[in-house]
Amino acid sequence: MIVCRSKAEIEKLRRVNQLVARILAELRHMVAPGVTTREIDASAEALVRVAGAEPAFKGYQGYPATVCASVNEQVVHGIPSPRRLVEGDVLSVDLGAKLDGFYGDCAVTVPVGRVSADADRLLRVTEEALFRGIDAVKPGARVSDIGAAVQAHVEAHRFSVVREFVGHGIGSSLHEEPQIANYGPGGRGPRLSEGMVLAIEPMVNFGDAAVKVLGDGWTAVTRDGTLSAHFEHTVVVTGGGCEILTLLDSDTARAREFVNAAVRT
Ligand code: MF3
Ligand code: CO
């Protein structure tokens, strides 16, 4: 069963998701050559706690940190470490928090200093694919319309969609129904209706789609060693489409550009 949230619940979800987005924006500014992913994690935890919230990932199935910090060929669930970022890396930061009983979840992939043109293109196409998926969210649409839109955009640019991990409903648990694949035919699965809250999170590889999980039991990497990117927003279905709960006012102009770019290409 997919829960439709009340106005009051949506207000709580808006609050925690805006918090997550604000903290992620802060973390983004920290990303630079020489910084360790553990330092980014420590700042994330401090910012979450000072806001009166709790990290959502820490302790989840034994996950040891506040953020997932996935560098280069790491796809998702990279564990923060003393590894220092170097110019040319790409870093995905995924942050979840719980406030007043409700969860927020958001991820971005950021360049470390100047990166290759290929890396830039991978990041841009992955974020565009996320917005294509978000554009498919409206009452009456089917869950699988999201993944179909994501996959079409990614494959038009000759990149590949990761199959092993999916987006998810979110609310009073971090992971709720439905699962949201980033690939497959549209027109399948439950219909979306007003009040449903979804975390949409495409993971896109530069090369082959295949991934494997490292010996730490968490870090997913591309099998062929090529770069991977990951972007995530949490949205609520509204009467006319959806509201992106993890979008900051300061980012709406940028998002609009993305949506328009997506329409053009
Ligand atoms: N955004 C990811 C997800 O929703 C991050 C989960 S990390 C975990 O699954 F540690 F919580 F698993
Ligand atoms: Co998520």
Side-chain angles (χ1 to χ4, degrees), residues 57 60 63 68 77 94 105 168 174-175 201 218 232:
F57 303 161
Y60 182 88
Y63 187 74
C68 301
H77 304 163
D94 190 347
D105 195 1
H168 49 95
L174 175 61
H175 295 144
E201 49 179 321
W218 283 103
E232 177 175 27

Side-chain angles (χ1 to χ4, degrees), residues 181-196:
N182 294 297
Y183 65 96
R188 311 262 171 99
R191 282 189 195 281
L192 300 178
S193 51
E194 212 173 326
M196 291 179 178

Side-chain angles (χ1 to χ4, degrees), residues 8 22 25 38 60 82 223 235 243 248 253:
R22 277 203 307 276
R38 185 172 283 169
Y60 182 88
R223 274 190 184 270
V235 309
E243 175 188 338
L248 300 175

Side-chain angles (χ1 to χ4, degrees), residues 4-231:
C4 293
R5 296 294 174 183
S6 68
K7 277 223 151 46
E9 290 171 324
I10 291 167
E11 186 46 39
K12 289 182 180 185
L13 282 156
R14 192 176 284 120
R15 202 166 301 145
V16 64
N17 278 284
Q18 285 281 299
L19 173 68
V20 166
R22 277 203 307 276
I23 294 173
L24 210 49
E26 289 284 323
L27 300 177
R28 213 187 162 108
H29 289 300
M30 284 184 70
V31 173
V35 174
T36 71
T37 54
R38 185 172 283 169
E39 287 163 352
I40 292 168
D41 186 67
S43 296
E45 180 163 1
L47 290 165
V48 166
R49 294 204 190 276
V50 87
E54 277 169 52
F57 303 161
K58 202 167 194 172
Y60 182 88
Q61 293 181 7
Y63 187 74
T66 296
V67 298
C68 301
S70 309
V71 185
N72 296 340
E73 79 288 353
Q74 297 176 355
V75 178
V76 284
H77 304 163
I79 299 174
S81 78
R83 171 178 184 161
R84 282 186 199 286
L85 297 171
V86 302
E87 177 116 19
D89 283 346
V90 301
L91 172 69
S92 154
V93 184
D94 190 347
L95 174 67
K98 183 186 189 183
L99 179 68
D100 204 7
F102 288 87
Y103 285 85
D105 195 1
C106 187
V108 288
T109 304
V110 293
V112 181
R114 276 185 64 91
V115 300
S116 69
D118 278 348
D120 252 334
R121 207 160 50 84
L122 178 68
L123 268 47
R124 182 177 56 79
V125 169
T126 307
E127 192 171 10
E128 283 171 358
L130 169 58
F131 280 102
R132 288 285 186 111
I134 290 171
D135 273 345
V137 176
K138 47 179 169 293
R142 301 288 193 104
V143 167
S144 81
D145 295 342
I146 299 168
V150 168
Q151 183 179 24
H153 189 67
V154 169
E155 294 183 354
H157 291 269
R158 303 276 171 251
F159 297 138
S160 50
V161 171
V162 171
R163 299 332 199 230
E164 284 84 348
F165 304 97
V166 297
H168 49 95
I170 179 170
S172 46
S173 304
L174 175 61
H175 295 144
E176 298 185 356
E177 284 181 52
Q179 293 199 0
I180 306 169
N182 294 297
Y183 65 96
R188 311 262 171 99
R191 282 189 195 281
L192 300 178
S193 51
E194 212 173 326
M196 291 179 178
V197 181
L198 310 172
I200 303 173
E201 49 179 321
M203 290 136 275
V204 176
N205 296 351
F206 187 84
D208 195 77
V211 304
K212 64 178 179 190
V213 175
L214 298 184
D216 62 18
W218 283 103
T219 313
V221 299
T222 58
R223 274 190 184 270
D224 64 7
T226 60
L227 293 182
S228 187
H230 175 216
F231 285 83

Side-chain angles (χ1 to χ4, degrees), residues 225-249:
T226 60
L227 293 182
S228 187
H230 175 216
F231 285 83
E232 177 175 27
H233 274 306
T234 294
V235 309
V236 57
V237 182
T238 60
C242 71
E243 175 188 338
I244 306 175
L245 298 176
T246 41
L247 197 63
L248 300 175
D249 280 345

